[in-house]
Amino acid sequence: MTAVDEPQSYSGTRKGEPDKTIEEVWAQPTGLRWWSSVSHRVVGKRFIYTGFAFFIIAGFLALLVRTQLIVPGNTFLDNETYNQVFTMHGTLMMFLFAIPILEGFAVYLIPMMLGARDLIFPRLEQFGYYCYLFGGIIVLSSFLFDAAPDGGWFMYVPLTTNAFTPGVSADFWLIGITFAEIASVTAAVELIVAILCARAPGMSLTKMPIFAWYILITAFMIAIGFPPLIIGSILLEANRLLGLPFFDPTVGGDPLLWQHLFWLFGHPEVYIIFLPAAGMVATILPTFVGKPLFGYGFVVAAVISMGFISFGLWAHHMFTTGLPILSLSLFSAASTMVAVPTGVQIFAFIATLAQGRPRMTTPMLFVMGFLFIFVLGGLTGVMLASVPFNWQAHDSYFVVAHLHYVLIGGMVFPLFAAFYYWAPHITGRMMSERLGKWVFWLMFIGFNATFFLMHVTGLRGMPRRIATYPEGIGWDRLNLLSTLGSYILAAGVALFIFDFIRHLRHGERAGRDPWRAGTMEWLYPTVAIGFNFHAIPPVETREPLWNNPNMLGKNAEDVEGVMRKMHDGRRETIGCDPVSGSPVQIVRLPHPTFTPMFTAFALAVAFAATIASAYFVAIAGIVAGLLGFTIWAWEPSDSGVTRDAGMGYVLPVNMIEKRSHMHIATVGTMLVLYALLGSLIFALLYLWNVYPNFAAQTAQPNLLWTGLSMLAGLVLLILAMINRRVAVADRIGLATVMNLAVILASIACTACLALAIQRTDPWGTALGATMWATLGFVALNLFITLYWALFNAARKVTGRVGAGQSLPDFNLATYAKGTAVMVLITGGLFLAATLGGLS
Amino acid sequence: MGSTLDQFGSQTTFADAGIGAARTVWLTNSMSIISLVILAFVMLVALFAWRSTGGGRVWWIIGGGIVFPLITLSVLTVASATTLRSITGEAQPEAPVIEITAYQYWWDVVHHSEGRSLRDANEIVLPLNMAVTLQLKSNDVIHSFWVPSVSGKMDMIPGRINELTITATKEGRFRGQCAEFCGLSHPLMAFEVLVLPVEEYAAYLESLDEDARDAVTPQQRRGKEVFLTSGCTACHAVNGVSENGRLGPDLSRVGARASLGAGMWRMNKGNLAGWIADVGDMKPGAQMPSYNDLSGPDLRAVAAWLESLK
Amino acid sequence: MTALGRQVWGLTIPAVAWAAHFIAIYALISAACAPRGLIDIPLMFGLGIVATVLFGIAALWPTIRPPKGAALTGAVRVGGLIFAVAILFDVLPLIFSSGCGG
């Protein structure tokens, strides 16, 4: 790779503006162009505000539910409306509020806490936001069409198949939510890479703020935990649109397959919701104690173990489905012991509290509220892990009580602490301490009044999800009190909204580090400048603002650090080694653009058209989306030069090696794709193992074509490796040829796999349908490989790739290798089916 | 809707009316008490932690986060497993089998006794102190069989037969309810469990095998005639009258049940008439059409006849 | 390998060991108890014990021999311990049951 020093000429997305100051280059676009902003601060706030809006809507739906249940035999809502209302309450809260708002805080805070000017893929984050917004709008719009989903937020089959839910309500859920989930998955990859690759000099993994560890683990959990739901939703939608019988027992399908796939997602999901909030507590608590988090290492260990172990609990939602007792015992034991890493975190927080009397500000009140409510919720969770108890409490109001204790205690209370804590950072003004105490007590008392009694209600036999109940069974007074409690809780939230609006104009100005916190987002006086740091300071401890006199002792813009000088009139930040945090590259960042929004909009059109059965429009939308991605990626490469980052570091720009942020993102994406494939393989093995009779009726794959597909996969693997080597050696012509070879190999793989199962009827058995679904997924990856190779070849042929700019081929090779291994795995499974027989 | 509680013993999990329920209650109570104690402990420690004088904080984390949970969780796991074994452990190959199939939104009940299949609906009669094996199925979507006072629940999943062995230990009438969201009238899908001493249970089985009671009064005879000519027999069977309709609940003993509409309304002539004329309003989504074009006298006649089928 | 790198491995190996163990136990139970009946109970039991010993040692390794020079030694040891406890809890049902029906 040759190093060049003169600035290169650019085309496509906005050229560098070497004549402007750093402030001007980073300036926010104004007017309508504000929607094209890619700044993490703006996009993060968008997530937070939009998430809060969904919170209010879903909360209002909850009030409708409680009002209907205030007296027995109430006719405030009819059954149909009630079913839509409770389904949408859960759906909006879980998918359109909880994760997006936490994501918003992560997106907003992580770069500043870690010492970066922006997130590492700002356009991806904008794209994610618009997918979320448009997906959320699609889901909400179902109310307008009187087609709001009404199958419960976990949409069990067969109730949600066409036979029992004709019409489009289930499709709104399946398609709208899957679309919104794209935001979560892209944010996950983004955050993994940002946390690993864009930290301040010297910020090793063990010196990161604890919040970054929480978000890193959460992001990995999202990458692996969302795919089962995505696969399940696609299978169910394919069942509804095409009649593919994945869940139909008459042809070897199983309603429990949906449940397994859903809960493989659903259980990690609730920890995905809990962990960022616990990370907020771990950040806020030390500030008000005035001492660092005690037991940082223990907490890291606990968070990692919770992240992994939470994937082994899912069937505790299925204890009453008739699974073998041995299986239940496994999940019962596993669910019980997850209290250990949870307890380690709780006691680390308590040990932190032992270091000094905390200042009881409003955020601290919410932290104490979190402790009380979440611990109680966790304890009832351990109760529910007991199988005999679960057989009584499952699907009763006891579970409703438990889930709200852990979700509201474990996420909403920390969230409100975060609102009060970071409001000065976002708006520059303090919220009212006096009103804050009212908000806390109204919410705390209201919450407990609503939900504590539900433990009793459930044990008195009231099932969940019932629009009404008969008089005199023993639930009347309990429901009345719960409803009154919910109004108190709502009053607290309303008061919060009032205070928030009020403080925008009348709140006391915050100044610099108003809470005397130790983490770097408070370096600048609020509201900090848009590009976060004039110079990114090196870091030696976990609480830089407490320990480093270089920080608060000076004006923020005078703090010494790297990247003070702007290069080539471009936005950029420092890139680091993932483990040690030492600077290794300069990461170029994009300027504002509408391309991601356009791409998200195209996909929204495609999804909405699918719901409306307007398939040509849907295809047009997908094509437009593909066009959007192409335009997005067509920009010239920034690699191939080095620049002086200051403080003695002369670094390559967008370096080409395995630690490159682009490469790690590709690996992160492969993780998601393998989780998707893994979910399909789970489905295959499940159906094969549980319905051997129907497996025997499924046509065996063709031995010859199966063998050829594995050969083709091997060829693709080798070609990908050669492609990378050739590209990195700057042999541009040869690399183009290798791109074309990869294209041909991808086509060959697809054809061979399809021919291998040509005799399998996708409508014949559920196993056959799943084999075709697996093929479809692998074929999608092969198509992406093909398209990417075509794209790379086109860029080289049109002269847009120079020496030392082989990053796209470097990454394509990783993707192609991953896809090739998918072909080998799938071919291997088909081979096993042919040889061992499906019978 | 009127109180149903006075018709049924209870729907609470604390009634100890069956082995499953009774043996779980102590677990419920002890876990609840221990949970509250732990919560109180954690909160007290959290609120007063700042008063502690230096040192040894690592042991708080190890002790509170690892050692203490391990001890309590191990005890809990053993207690829980023991309870589970005591509820499910004893295999009962001789136990009578009752096949219950859930429909949207009612329960088809078939007692298998001495080679006979004896059909009833919405009311499940059980022998006192004798284990019974329920074979739980579904005709359409997932439902769940739950009679809290007697036993924990078990889902009813299409394509699967789930077995639940229950032993009722108290006489009386208990209310159960579908516990898995199953559609529009999920809240209106309940059932009765009637626990009788063994001899009375045997007598009940015999009554299922016999023809339904004869129509006696002119009104009842008129009612039976309306039943036969209005299309009711396409879905409903009455022993000795018409036995081919199996799409809906068996009505041979409908008048003997305490409730109508699957555990929802008191069984009497008025409710029967209202049900037949307007089932779509009382139970949205029910498969039965509303017979609102029957004349007033005919409607009352059918109701009278059905009520007489005890 | 740097001290920091060793530490990262120390955090990751127990996690991967736990994941492999869980998948093994789940697969063994499914293989023995599902209608296909691929293996019988004694084999399930035997392979389960083998998996537990293998992966249990892997999980406990950093706790017994923590990586040298790491800043988060406590983290590594506690992490390994938590995963080892998880492995133990996961295999308990296998040990104390008499078959698929518990």
Side-chain angles (χ1 to χ4, degrees):
Chain A
M1 188 180 79
T2 54
V4 178
D5 275 324
E6 61 285 357
Q8 309 204 347
S9 62
Y10 301 96
S11 64
T13 51
R14 181 160 151 188
K15 295 179 208 279
E17 295 153 297
D19 307 323
K20 293 205 168 144
T21 63
I22 192 170
E23 283 85 355
E24 285 162 343
V25 163
W26 281 91
Q28 287 299 343
T30 51
L32 278 176
R33 299 196 63 87
W34 180 71
W35 293 101
S36 72
S37 172
V38 293
S39 150
H40 78 103
R41 302 264 292 274
V42 171
V43 177
K45 282 190 291 183
R46 278 186 194 150
F47 269 106
I48 295 174
Y49 285 120
T50 310
F52 193 79
F54 278 110
F55 176 65
I56 298 302
I57 298 172
F60 174 71
L61 292 173
L63 289 177
L64 292 179
V65 167
R66 283 313 323 163
T67 305
Q68 164 62 13
L69 293 174
I70 192 173
V71 289
N74 202 357
T75 51
F76 173 63
L77 299 175
D78 62 40
N79 285 13
E80 192 185 322
T81 311
Y82 183 87
N83 294 347
Q84 292 177 340
V85 168
F86 83 71
T87 301
M88 289 295 269
H89 164 71
T91 303
L92 258 48
M93 283 293 192
M94 295 300 279
F95 294 107
L96 298 177
F97 155 66
I99 303 222
I101 206 168
L102 292 171
E103 192 185 312
F105 270 97
V107 161
Y108 183 87
L109 291 170
I110 287 285
M112 289 183 289
M113 280 188 180
L114 298 186
R117 290 221 174 99
D118 205 333
L119 275 177
I120 204 113
F121 300 117
R123 286 173 300 183
L124 187 64
E125 204 51 47
Q126 189 207 93
F127 171 74
Y129 172 73
Y130 285 118
C131 286
Y132 161 55
L133 180 68
F134 297 145
I137 289 175
I138 289 177
V139 172
L140 265 185
S141 74
S142 64
F143 273 124
L144 292 177
F145 297 99
D146 196 25
D150 60 358
W153 87 273
F154 30 94
M155 300 287 283
Y156 276 1
V157 302
L159 181 60
T160 50
T161 58
N162 273 327
F164 302 100
T165 307
V168 292
S169 60
D171 307 297
F172 268 105
W173 192 99
L174 293 165
I175 293 176
I177 293 297
T178 306
F179 186 31
E181 278 160 21
I182 293 179
S184 305
V185 175
T186 55
V189 175
E190 167 103 55
L191 287 165
I192 290 174
V193 182
I195 292 172
L196 289 179
C197 299
R199 305 199 298 271
M203 186 186 279
S204 68
L205 281 179
T206 61
K207 294 210 198 98
M208 279 200 314
I210 192 70
F211 186 67
W213 271 108
Y214 273 97
I215 298 295
L216 181 65
I217 301 302
T218 304
F220 275 109
M221 289 173 73
I222 292 177
I224 302 184
F226 272 60
L229 176 62
I230 295 176
I231 290 296
S233 302
I234 293 176
L235 294 185
L236 181 55
E237 190 57 35
N239 167 264
R240 290 179 59 87
L241 289 181
L242 304 171
L244 291 169
F246 304 102
F247 313 110
D248 180 357
T250 61
V251 288
D254 196 349
L256 287 189
L257 177 61
W258 166 267
Q259 293 195 22
H260 279 294
L261 288 173
F262 186 87
W263 292 114
L264 272 165
F265 148 80
H267 192 77
E269 151 89 340
V270 302
Y271 289 80
I272 288 169
I273 292 176
F274 167 68
L275 285 176
M280 289 169 167
V281 169
T283 306
I284 294 173
L285 185 58
T287 300
F288 293 108
V289 174
K291 296 268 165 48
L293 175 71
F294 188 89
Y296 175 94
F298 293 119
V299 175
V300 170
V303 174
I304 293 177
S305 52
M306 217 171 176
F308 274 80
I309 292 172
S310 67
F311 278 90
L313 310 185
W314 80 89
H316 67 223
H317 299 270
M318 297 167 65
F319 277 167
T320 59
T321 55
L323 296 175
I325 301 262
L326 183 56
S327 195
L328 302 187
S329 305
L330 168 66
F331 286 97
S332 174
S335 306
T336 308
M337 75 69 55
V338 80
V340 169
T342 317
V344 167
Q345 288 173 69
I346 297 292
F347 276 91
F349 296 158
I350 291 179
T352 308
L353 278 170
Q355 296 175 111
R357 188 168 195 174
R359 294 175 277 149
M360 290 310 281
T361 56
T362 304
M364 207 41 216
L365 277 176
F366 276 101
V367 166
M368 298 309 282
F370 147 81
L371 260 178
F372 181 92
I373 299 176
F374 177 73
V375 168
L376 181 50
L379 291 166
T380 56
V382 172
M383 289 174 72
L384 284 164
S386 155
V387 173
F389 177 75
N390 188 285
W391 282 354
Q392 287 284 38
H394 170 71
D395 263 344
S396 78
Y397 263 77
F398 189 93
V399 176
V400 177
H402 160 71
L403 75 91
H404 285 92
Y405 265 81
V406 284
L407 286 174
I408 297 185
M411 185 259 171
V412 175
F413 271 68
L415 182 71
F416 273 73
F419 285 150
Y420 279 91
Y421 186 73
W422 277 295
H425 194 286
I426 297 176
T427 64
R429 293 176 186 265
M430 311 293 287
M431 293 183 68
S432 160
E433 277 296 305
R434 193 177 58 90
L435 286 179
K437 287 177 170 44
W438 274 93
V439 171
F440 169 73
W441 285 108
L442 281 170
M443 285 181 67
F444 185 79
I445 292 174
F447 169 81
N448 281 295
T450 310
F451 291 103
F452 188 79
L453 296 171
M454 287 186 190
H455 295 106
V456 180
T457 317
L459 289 175
R460 284 207 188 162
M462 182 172 177
R464 61 189 285 197
R465 301 174 154 186
I466 53 176
T468 186
Y469 52 94
E471 218 184 299
I473 289 195
W475 308 335
D476 302 5
R477 198 169 339 150
L478 294 169
N479 272 286
L480 173 66
L481 290 171
S482 282
T483 301
L484 295 177
S486 71
Y487 297 149
I488 299 174
L489 175 57
V493 176
L495 185 59
F496 168 81
I497 297 174
F498 167 77
D499 185 21
F500 186 82
I501 296 176
R502 180 208 64 89
H503 103 290
L504 290 172
R505 286 276 196 80
H506 303 293
E508 182 197 322
R509 287 205 187 271
R512 194 178 188 191
D513 198 7
W515 302 115
R516 304 198 292 278
T519 41
M520 268 206 308
E521 76 273 22
W522 296 104
L523 177 64
Y524 277 70
T526 61
V527 175
I529 41 154
F531 52 97
N532 300 340
F533 300 97
H534 284 88
I536 299 172
V539 148
E540 282 141 37
T541 68
R542 291 181 201 133
E543 288 85 18
L545 263 47
W546 286 348
N547 304 121
N548 188 343
N550 177 31
M551 303 257 184
L552 288 177
K554 297 185 170 166
N555 279 339
E557 56 268 23
D558 297 327
V559 169
E560 277 137 29
V562 297
M563 305 292 292
R564 185 177 289 280
K565 196 168 77 86
M566 184 175 61
H567 308 102
D568 308 314
R570 291 289 305 276
R571 297 187 175 191
E572 53 192 15
T573 190
I574 194 86
C576 70
D577 174 88
V579 175
S580 67
S582 41
V584 293
Q585 64 169 339
I586 291 175
V587 173
R588 283 275 156 87
L589 298 170
H591 296 214
T593 165
F594 278 108
T595 311
M597 178 209 265
F598 164 76
T599 311
F601 183 73
L603 291 180
V605 167
F607 284 122
T610 310
I611 298 175
S613 306
Y615 298 117
F616 285 116
V617 177
I619 292 174
I622 294 186
V623 169
L626 202 54
L627 188 66
F629 283 122
T630 311
I631 296 172
W632 179 338
W634 188 256
E635 60 184 358
S637 170
D638 289 315
S639 308
V641 296
T642 62
R643 292 284 179 264
D644 180 2
M647 296 189 88
Y649 294 105
V650 177
L651 303 169
V653 172
N654 286 4
M655 70 183 177
I656 303 178
E657 55 155 286
K658 292 221 162 94
R659 293 178 302 171
S660 149
H661 55 297
M662 307 262 199
H663 182 253
I664 295 187
T666 310
V667 173
T669 308
M670 293 313 304
L671 201 62
V672 176
L673 295 171
Y674 269 89
L676 287 164
L677 180 67
S679 306
L680 282 163
I681 293 178
F682 174 87
L684 283 173
L685 292 173
Y686 177 83
L687 291 174
W688 173 81
N689 195 24
V690 179
Y691 297 95
N693 301 333
F694 288 98
Q697 287 176 32
T698 309
Q700 290 186 5
N702 179 292
L703 182 60
L704 174 67
W705 287 111
T706 304
L708 284 177
S709 73
M710 292 183 75
L711 190 61
L714 197 58
V715 166
L716 179 60
L717 185 64
I718 296 171
L719 286 175
M721 295 201 276
I722 299 175
N723 193 351
R724 166 177 290 167
R725 228 160 258 216
V726 158
V728 168
D730 283 334
R731 314 233 359 231
I732 294 180
L734 196 48
T736 311
V737 171
M738 292 313 302
N739 286 152
L740 296 173
V742 164
I743 291 173
L744 289 174
S746 302
I747 296 174
C749 287
T750 313
C752 291
L753 280 174
L755 285 166
I757 57 170
Q758 59 182 304
R759 280 179 50 238
T760 309
D761 177 10
W763 286 275
T765 61
L767 183 62
T770 312
M771 287 163 72
W772 274 98
T774 310
L775 168 71
F777 176 73
V778 177
L780 179 64
N781 279 283
L782 287 163
F783 173 74
I784 294 173
T785 308
L786 186 159
Y787 191 81
W788 192 341
L790 194 62
F791 176 88
N792 282 4
R795 287 196 56 220
K796 290 198 273 293
V797 160
T798 53
R800 279 176 164 70
V801 175
Q805 297 192 326
S806 57
L807 201 50
D809 271 338
F810 190 89
N811 292 324
L812 167 64
T814 304
Y815 191 89
K817 283 196 287 186
T819 305
V821 171
M822 283 188 190
V823 172
L824 288 170
I825 292 174
T826 309
L829 283 171
F830 288 166
L831 190 66
T834 300
L835 296 177
L838 287 169
S839 44
Chain B
M1 211 180 287
S3 169
T4 47
L5 189 59
D6 52 356
Q7 299 168 226
F8 308 107
S10 69
Q11 196 170 337
T12 171
T13 64
F14 293 108
D16 282 5
I19 286 184
R23 293 187 187 167
T24 308
V25 170
W26 81 271
L27 198 58
T28 305
N29 290 335
S30 36
M31 290 197 296
S32 305
I33 294 172
I34 294 175
S35 297
L36 290 172
V37 167
I38 293 177
L39 174 67
F41 172 74
V42 168
M43 285 318 292
L44 284 171
V45 173
L47 286 167
F48 294 109
W50 59 275
R51 285 178 192 262
S52 77
T53 49
R57 300 231 173 83
V58 171
W59 291 108
W60 292 34
I61 300 179
I62 307 267
I66 301 184
V67 175
F68 177 71
L70 270 184
I71 297 173
T72 33
L73 296 177
S74 304
V75 169
L76 168 64
T77 306
V78 170
S80 187
T82 317
T83 308
L84 181 61
R85 195 163 294 182
S86 85
I87 295 174
T88 62
E90 305 124 34
Q92 304 273 0
E94 298 300 313
V97 168
I98 306 179
E99 199 186 314
I100 305 178
T101 306
Y103 288 68
Q104 279 176 322
Y105 302 96
W106 59 280
W107 314 82
D108 184 61
V109 180
V110 179
H111 294 258
H112 293 283
S113 160
E114 295 162 7
R116 304 170 293 179
S117 297
L118 306 167
R119 194 165 173 254
D120 201 353
N122 294 334
E123 177 188 75
I124 297 151
V125 180
L126 297 178
L128 180 64
N129 289 325
M130 188 158 92
V132 167
T133 300
L134 304 180
Q135 287 182 346
L136 301 169
K137 307 157 129 174
S138 168
N139 179 65
D140 36 47
V141 300
I142 300 182
H143 301 269
S144 189
F145 181 88
W146 190 31
V147 51
S149 301
V150 176
S151 161
K153 64 180 66 69
M154 181 68 75
D155 291 350
M156 306 160 89
I157 301 170
R160 213 170 256 260
I161 302 179
N162 277 342
E163 287 197 355
L164 177 65
T165 302
I166 68 177
T167 309
T169 53
K170 280 195 188 152
E171 262 185 77
R173 215 177 263 278
F174 305 99
R175 190 170 189 266
Q177 193 164 353
C178 174
E180 183 60 64
F181 180 68
C182 56
L184 265 180
S185 276
H186 168 67
L188 305 172
M189 184 176 168
F191 59 95
E192 311 164 28
V193 167
L194 177 61
V195 182
L196 298 174
V198 179
E199 321 75 52
E200 290 178 44
Y201 170 71
Y204 159 78
L205 288 180
E206 288 311 312
S207 76
L208 285 185
D209 205 10
E210 292 158 2
D211 283 354
R213 256 189 222 179
D214 272 334
V216 173
T217 69
Q219 191 187 39
Q220 290 168 6
R221 281 200 289 273
R222 173 67 191 147
K224 178 171 158 186
E225 204 184 304
V226 173
F227 175 80
L228 285 169
T229 55
S230 307
C232 314
T233 56
C235 301
H236 293 288
V238 176
N239 287 343
V241 173
S242 165
E243 296 181 22
N244 296 321
R246 304 188 88 85
L247 298 174
D250 188 290
L251 298 179
S252 311
R253 287 186 69 257
V254 62
R257 296 182 208 142
S259 67
L260 164 70
M264 291 313 303
W265 295 275
R266 226 178 262 280
M267 177 64 70
N268 57 42
K269 274 193 286 250
N271 282 340
L272 275 167
W275 174 266
I276 296 167
D278 214 355
V279 56
D281 192 60
M282 286 173 82
K283 206 157 175 182
Q287 301 287 328
M288 174 170 161
S290 300
Y291 280 80
N292 47 20
D293 53 357
L294 286 177
S295 72
D298 278 351
L299 191 57
R300 286 194 289 277
V302 177
W305 175 68
L306 289 171
E307 205 222 5
S308 77
L309 298 176
K310 291 193 200 291
Chain C
M1 194 183 287
T2 62
L4 206 48
R6 275 199 293 275
Q7 181 171 280
V8 172
W9 275 115
L11 286 170
T12 345
I13 287 179
V16 174
W18 171 85
H21 179 261
F22 179 84
I23 291 174
I25 298 291
Y26 181 74
L28 286 170
I29 293 179
S30 304
C33 300
R36 189 174 278 273
L38 278 170
I39 63 178
D40 58 17
I41 300 294
L43 187 58
M44 170 189 80
F45 185 76
L47 290 176
I49 298 296
V50 168
T52 303
V53 169
L54 265 171
F55 294 120
I57 292 178
L60 274 174
W61 194 254
T63 307
I64 303 170
R65 303 272 238 99
K68 282 194 278 289
L72 289 186
T73 313
V76 170
R77 300 183 87 169
V78 167
L81 189 61
I82 295 177
F83 281 115
V85 166
I87 286 178
L88 181 66
F89 266 76
D90 283 350
V91 80
L92 278 179
L94 213 65
I95 295 176
F96 288 107
S97 70
S98 50
C100 293

